Amino acid sequence: MRTASAAGLVDLHTHTTASDGDLSPRALVEAAAAAEVTTLAVTDHDTMAGVPEAMEAAAQRAVTLIPAVELSVQVPRGSMHLLGYFAEPAPPQVCRYLEAAGQRRRDRAEEIVARLAALGVPVDFDEVCAQAAGNVGRPHIADALVAAGHCSSRADAFRRYLNDHGPAYVGYEALTPVEAIRLIRDDGGVAVLAHPYSLGVRPGELMSAVQRLAARGLGGIEVHRPEYDAPQRRRYARMAAAFRLLGGGGSDFHGPGRGYALGNTGDPPLPAAAADRLQEALATAAR
Ligand code: AMP
Ligand code: FE
Ligand code: FE
Ligand code: ZN
């Protein structure tokens, strides 16, 4: 693996059609090259299916591709996403977990669809799955309810049937944060806490949560994201320094015209040194 070129931008958080992004992995890499992003991580939600195609495309461009995933983990409130970065495109234990988790999500979606039928609002399970490029979830079922004329919008579908207390709701057990960190590390990966604000806790509480996770092997937190304001970024940078965590970040790009542009990691941007540090950590873990 090449190290980051000092000349280009670094973007360590992006999505493709393998999860909820609009660009194929190849198109993402081409867009990255056009945007002068020289180090790119593909971090699809709970799948690494887009990584091989992205690597192939990156090999034909001046782009260094870091294989990665964004895992949704179980927390009592708010939501927590952990990014896992790897030295290889198919870390074996992580891939085995993702495969099994995908199957559990399909089984759960089928159960939700059965409940909807019993409630008198049937949708076609195969069509729901066909709408889901990657892992199937409630948003896909909501869209099917709208398409079938049972609901007026996604929000309506969640309000009437699919919310956590709704009549068609079926739960889903994800990994705990500590389990996810262990899984990532066991395959030589580096675990980074994405958008820490989504935990929905006060700064002091976040500080102790990050400290606890750091003690269990968390490797970094996202310090550079375009939606942060300056005080927020400083707070996360201080946290990273206090617990010797890597300061990561990225655009969380989902597609042209959606959210922030590819390569936009805020001001100041994610430094190339961060990518070098990540690559060094991956190389060390692999040894
Ligand atoms: P799932 O992983 O299948 O449980 O679906 C979770 C996704 O559903 C979340 O990422 C949200 O995008 C969406 N979602 C969850 N609750 C609601 C809600 N009450 N209203 C609208 N969307 C929701
Ligand atoms: Fe997403
Ligand atoms: Fe996320
Ligand atoms: Zn993301």
Side-chain angles (χ1 to χ4, degrees):
M1 206 179 291
R2 285 165 291 159
T3 50
S5 112
L9 299 172
V10 175
D11 194 332
L12 300 180
H13 192 150
T14 67
H15 296 271
T16 77
T17 47
S19 63
D20 59 350
D22 293 338
L23 298 186
S24 70
R26 174 168 295 279
L28 175 76
V29 169
E30 274 156 19
E36 293 179 12
V37 171
T38 50
T39 302
L40 176 73
V42 170
T43 57
D44 277 309
H45 297 284
D46 299 302
T47 178
M48 292 187 73
V51 169
E53 181 185 314
M55 297 229 23
E56 208 181 283
Q60 294 155 10
R61 302 271 176 177
V63 175
T64 299
L65 200 285
I66 301 178
V69 67
E70 181 172 19
L71 296 176
S72 295
V73 300
Q74 196 109 30
V75 282
R77 62 203 162 94
S79 83
M80 189 190 288
H81 289 175
L82 284 171
L83 300 160
Y85 298 96
F86 301 94
E88 54 184 326
Q93 296 173 82
V94 169
C95 287
R96 212 172 313 128
Y97 165 76
L98 294 173
E99 191 57 48
Q103 185 56 51
R104 277 190 286 123
R105 288 190 69 92
R106 283 189 291 278
D107 294 345
R108 176 250 200 172
E110 197 164 9
E111 219 177 309
I112 294 176
V113 166
R115 289 197 183 196
L116 290 170
L119 289 163
V121 284
V123 295
D124 187 73
F125 179 62
D126 293 329
E127 255 162 59
V128 169
C129 290
Q131 291 310 307
N135 285 312
V136 62
R138 282 182 284 164
H140 306 109
I141 300 172
D143 289 350
L145 283 167
V146 175
H150 300 310
C151 295
S152 60
S153 65
R154 243 190 208 192
D156 184 44
F158 270 94
R159 192 178 52 74
R160 289 164 60 194
Y161 301 108
L162 297 173
N163 72 74
D164 292 10
H165 308 284
Y169 181 72
V170 177
Y172 173 78
E173 297 272 310
L175 295 178
T176 66
V178 169
E179 288 170 340
I181 289 170
R182 191 176 308 138
L183 177 69
I184 291 166
R185 285 176 57 113
D186 281 353
D187 270 342
V190 172
V192 173
L193 178 63
H195 38 74
Y197 57 80
S198 72
L199 271 63
V201 299
R202 291 173 203 291
E205 219 177 313
L206 180 61
M207 190 84 167
S208 36
V210 170
Q211 182 167 27
R212 273 196 306 276
L213 294 176
R216 307 300 290 268
L218 183 72
I221 62 173
E222 286 194 314
V223 170
H224 295 267
R225 290 179 57 100
E227 78 275 26
Y228 289 171
D229 58 23
Q232 200 175 12
R233 190 170 42 245
R234 277 198 298 274
R235 207 158 52 234
Y236 297 150
R238 274 202 303 272
M239 253 181 239
F243 307 126
R244 298 180 182 284
L245 295 170
L246 205 135
S251 62
D252 214 337
F253 179 75
H254 279 77
R258 272 177 75 186
Y260 293 89
L262 188 56
N264 178 358
T265 57
D267 185 17
L270 180 62
D276 292 340
R277 232 185 116 189
L278 175 59
Q279 300 273 37
E280 275 160 31
L282 292 175
T284 311
R287 252 181 249 132

